[in-house]
Amino acid sequence: MSILLYGVGTVHAAPILFVTHTPDNNDFANSVAVFGNHRGDVRSATRGGDLYIRYDDSTLRNLTEDAGYGLTAATEITVRDPCVHWDGEKALFSMAVGGSVQGDAEAYFQIYEITGILQGETAVITKLNQPEDYNNVSPVYGTDDRILFTTDRPRNGDRRLYPQLDEYESTPTNTGLWRMNPDGSSLEILDHSPSGNFTPIVDSFGRIVFTRWDHLQRDQQTDGDINAIIAGNPQPYGTRVYESEESDTYRGVQPGDEIFPDHRVYHGSDDTIPDPTWDTGLPAGEQGLRLNHFFPWMINEDGTELETLNHVGRHELFSYTPGSRNYLPDHNITDPHIREAMLQVREDYATSGWYYGTNAPEFGTHASGQIVRLYGAPDENPDDMRVEYVTNFVTRVPLPDSSTPT
């Protein structure tokens, strides 16, 4: 069971709104994975689970069932991402309905709003106007009540560009951070992200804080295909080069097509083989680039000032990226750090400026892991920002039964 908890109303003695989720042992590109987690089909999001609320007298209430959802096989549901309104009397969430009966059409996560969540009220669930036939997830209320969310809708709505594929495994991902009015009008993209944005919040300072995936290095699928061509072998991935985004004409990738300015560090199935096509001939004293981060970012609600949280450098808090020059001492982080991902970022509502998240690997933990926190109030100098461990670092990955971290 995967549970997300959000307080309703005041911080102290408040009801808790949460979702339940049917277990899924798969950990790649599904609704409980680190990336590719936005799709609503039954292969990606197991059916079952509901939107619940636990009142401060310990009473439990199944809100989706009360509103008539999930009661038959044809209307089985999966729910995610609840977000309570500022007044504590309604909430947004994403839900996929149906898709589990043979012959059903493709199912997508759509945004719904629920009212009547307080004790004694009648729960009413309303589907918002929004991009149809796309997955719209992680909705939150803006300070002006406009809806902020992520979606896999192409930036211009051209279905030929669907789905967007990430820069890592060429797996479908969302296209970034979007905004719309409560009635679905004035749809606009705030951040068009190559590999997707995840779990936005609006913090106490009015900033949108979210996790952004940056895999800013040479594409490994293209890398593999070009090396296969050089070796005279069949291309394993079939990567393509299109004339433009407006064209359906393409050709297979060829040596020289990958023009990302920095050389890739490694290639191969075990990611340890120096790549002769990219790494040969590097200027003296330089080495290849490796960058794969799920980092906390921020942006204003109008789409301005997009940058990492407080403009802190990735290399200052994360340990994945090597130095670009090998004649300098190796980058050795002795302070607490994050390997490659700070996921599910949430602000401490009792103490503004503290952000909690999970330091988790890409695979193997269903996006769960070590709990960390980071102080990033707007007036905090990024040079002074530090990661603090809430739980032991060893909790970042699955532990043997005999392990007992403090």
Side-chain angles (χ1 to χ4, degrees), residues 134 152-166 172-175 192 242 244-248:
Y134 295 109
D152 59 359
R153 179 187 186 272
R155 58 177 180 80
N156 57 2
D158 188 341
R159 196 71 181 186
R160 291 177 301 181
L161 304 180
Y162 184 83
Q164 175 174 298
L165 304 180
D166 66 49
T173 190
N174 69 70
T175 56
H192 186 208
Y242 285 82
S244 71
E245 289 190 348
E246 290 74 36
S247 173
D248 294 321

Side-chain angles (χ1 to χ4, degrees), residues 60-83:
L60 276 176
R61 182 183 176 193
N62 187 330
L63 294 169
T64 39
E65 182 180 76
D66 285 356
Y69 284 86
L71 301 180
T72 67
T75 58
E76 287 179 337
I77 62 173
T78 180
V79 294
R80 57 181 289 167
D81 306 328
C83 175

Side-chain angles (χ1 to χ4, degrees), residues 39-232:
R39 291 176 290 177
D41 61 89
V42 294
R43 298 171 300 278
S44 304
T46 52
R47 295 304 185 260
D50 287 278
L51 179 66
Y52 276 83
I53 191 167
R54 180 188 183 277
Y55 296 110
D56 50 13
D57 63 0
S58 299
T59 302
L60 276 176
R61 182 183 176 193
N62 187 330
L63 294 169
T64 39
E65 182 180 76
D66 285 356
Y69 284 86
L71 301 180
T72 67
T75 58
E76 287 179 337
I77 62 173
T78 180
V79 294
R80 57 181 289 167
D81 306 328
C83 175
V84 181
H85 188 263
W86 309 104
D87 64 14
E89 297 183 358
K90 61 183 179 179
L92 297 170
F93 66 100
S94 290
M95 178 167 62
V97 180
S100 60
V101 178
Q102 187 173 3
D104 279 359
E106 182 78 12
Y108 298 93
F109 274 113
Q110 296 278 278
I111 299 172
Y112 293 79
E113 186 173 59
I114 183 169
T115 57
I117 61 177
L118 302 181
Q119 274 182 303
E121 296 183 338
T122 300
V124 177
I125 293 176
T126 304
K127 182 181 177 181
L128 302 186
N129 292 325
Q130 61 199 284
E132 294 284 347
D133 297 333
Y134 295 109
N135 293 287
N136 309 316
V137 300
S138 300
V140 298
Y141 292 103
T143 57
D144 56 3
D145 276 355
R146 283 193 279 190
I147 310 300
L148 308 163
F149 63 104
T150 65
T151 177
D152 59 359
R153 179 187 186 272
R155 58 177 180 80
N156 57 2
D158 188 341
R159 196 71 181 186
R160 291 177 301 181
L161 304 180
Y162 184 83
Q164 175 174 298
L165 304 180
D166 66 49
E167 304 169 292
Y168 179 38
E169 296 285 355
S170 296
T171 300
T173 190
N174 69 70
T175 56
L177 184 66
W178 293 66
R179 179 177 66 170
M180 67 180 185
N181 289 331
D183 63 2
S185 63
S186 300
L187 179 69
E188 59 181 324
I189 189 168
L190 302 182
D191 176 34
H192 186 208
S193 178
S195 284
N197 295 334
F198 306 89
T199 58
I201 62 169
V202 177
D203 72 2
S204 60
F205 308 101
R207 307 176 297 182
I208 307 172
V209 178
F210 57 97
T211 295
R212 191 177 198 263
W213 186 15
D214 292 311
H215 196 263
L216 303 177
Q217 62 186 35
R218 292 186 185 269
D219 184 273
Q220 64 186 20
Q221 273 74 32
T222 302
D223 181 42
D225 279 346
I226 291 176
N227 277 280
I229 293 173
I230 294 173

Side-chain angles (χ1 to χ4, degrees), residues 275-390:
D275 190 329
T277 63
W278 303 139
D279 292 346
T280 300
L282 279 174
E286 295 189 8
Q287 57 189 12
L289 171 69
R290 190 179 190 186
L291 197 156
N292 180 28
H293 283 165
F294 293 81
F295 202 89
W297 282 63
M298 66 181 189
I299 191 172
N300 293 332
E301 290 185 76
D302 62 1
T304 61
E305 303 295 331
L306 172 68
E307 59 183 344
T308 59
L309 185 64
N310 280 20
H311 200 67
V312 67
R314 299 177 183 90
H315 59 284
E316 293 174 309
L317 299 180
F318 281 43
S319 63
Y320 189 90
T321 302
S324 61
R325 297 183 179 273
N326 56 23
Y327 55 79
L328 295 176
D330 290 338
H331 186 50
N332 181 22
I333 298 178
T334 56
D335 292 332
H337 62 279
I338 298 170
R339 168 66 176 161
E340 62 195 57
M342 185 172 178
L343 308 173
Q344 303 149 5
V345 178
R346 292 292 182 266
E347 187 180 15
D348 184 341
Y349 290 102
T351 309
S352 297
W354 278 107
Y355 300 88
Y356 288 78
T358 56
N359 177 21
E362 291 174 289
F363 309 110
T365 67
H366 292 84
S368 299
Q370 180 196 19
I371 305 299
V372 298
R373 71 174 188 168
L374 175 68
Y375 188 73
D379 59 354
E380 178 72 358
N381 188 322
D383 286 339
D384 297 326
M385 292 175 68
R386 295 289 184 272
V387 174
E388 292 189 5
Y389 290 170
V390 179

